[in-house]
Amino acid sequence: MAPQHGPRRARIAFSDSAAKQLENITGEAEIHALDRALVVVSVAPDVGEPIPSDAVGPQLRQYTDDIEQVRVLYFVTALRTVVVVAYIEV
């Protein structure tokens, strides 16, 4: 019998701005908090709330993890890749 796999997780990519923010994160607690938020978003990309906008293009979303005090701004591509635009610690 073939093993049962869960739903496929979205791939996470970072904008240049988000990548620069990542370079400045050095604390283990901050890394853990961001990792937790990214796992949630990769498992369920639609979990975040849409950010209202008049712009044409991908719908920006924000996911806030109140336990870890993290907010991630991102959009989901047509191929279900999550592109993190910014990581903001609340």
Side-chain angles (χ1 to χ4, degrees), residues 49-64:
E49 297 177 9
I51 298 174
S53 172
D54 293 336
V56 176
Q59 172 71 56
L60 274 178
R61 303 182 73 82
Q62 71 176 347
Y63 170 72
T64 304

Side-chain angles (χ1 to χ4, degrees), residues 18-34 87 89:
K20 287 182 183 185
Q21 287 180 324
L22 286 175
E23 291 174 5
N24 295 325
I25 298 173
T26 58
E28 190 173 319
E30 291 175 310
I31 292 169
H32 173 76
L34 178 59
Y87 156 75
E89 186 171 359

Side-chain angles (χ1 to χ4, degrees), residues 36-57:
R36 176 184 160 115
L38 293 176
V39 167
V40 170
V41 171
S42 73
V43 171
D46 297 329
V47 70
E49 297 177 9
I51 298 174
S53 172
D54 293 336
V56 176

Side-chain angles (χ1 to χ4, degrees), residues 8-13 38 40-51 57-63 72-85:
R8 194 183 106 194
R9 288 174 46 167
R11 190 175 139 253
I12 301 286
L38 293 176
V40 170
V41 171
S42 73
V43 171
D46 297 329
V47 70
E49 297 177 9
I51 298 174
Q59 172 71 56
L60 274 178
R61 303 182 73 82
Q62 71 176 347
Y63 170 72
V72 178
L73 303 179
Y74 67 97
F75 65 88
V76 182
T77 67
L79 298 176
R80 292 192 50 89
T81 297
V82 173
V83 178
V84 175
V85 176

